[in-house]
Amino acid sequence: MIKLSETEIQQKLQELEGWEYIDGAIETTFEFKNFKETFSIMTRIAFECEAQNHHPNWSNVYNTLNIRLNTHDANGVTQKDFQLAQSIEGIIDSE
Amino acid sequence: MIKLSETEIQQKLQELEGWEYIDGAIETTFEFKNFKETFSIMTRIAFECEAQNHHPNWSNVYNTLNIRLNTHDANGVTQKDFQLAQSIEGIIDSE
């Protein structure tokens, strides 16, 4: 996987609403109704991550979910991160 | 719920291996085999949190799980945090 340049990252981010490039990763934060709803969506995302063999740096407090994606092996952001971000958005949109 | 003093917190922490009092919360980090195992355990913990109506500040990267517990309403650490921490330890020990 080839590390994307900052220009490429910023260009691809235009297709993803609410995501930003911060400290070497693409990042977003979602808010849901409560903990149960948040963890249910985390579970759906977890299955997708496992299927793509690509895993987030994510944190949760009650109804808030922060997700950061980068590619450790490439030491930066790659196409894999954008693929997973699109899948996450698909899960969120289907709710 | 009454906020515990730092002396009380340190005393109670002696019953919990691997937990520390850091920045106003009790905190620990676990490492598991892989993402699937980590998320499975997070799911078991999530059900327990919901049952106790007490929720963690937690983050996960692949096989690492960091958990911070405090009580927002008490602006500190309370007995509820220690109760949840003991439950989490029970889940880990049962693996």
Side-chain angles (χ1 to χ4, degrees), chain B residues 4-26:
Chain B
L4 300 171
S5 70
E6 185 159 351
T7 309
E8 288 168 319
I9 293 166
Q10 294 296 354
Q11 199 167 9
K12 284 175 177 289
L13 278 176
Q14 289 171 25
E15 295 157 34
L16 282 171
E17 206 183 307
W19 290 73
E20 287 177 284
Y21 179 58
I22 300 171
D23 293 338
I26 56 171

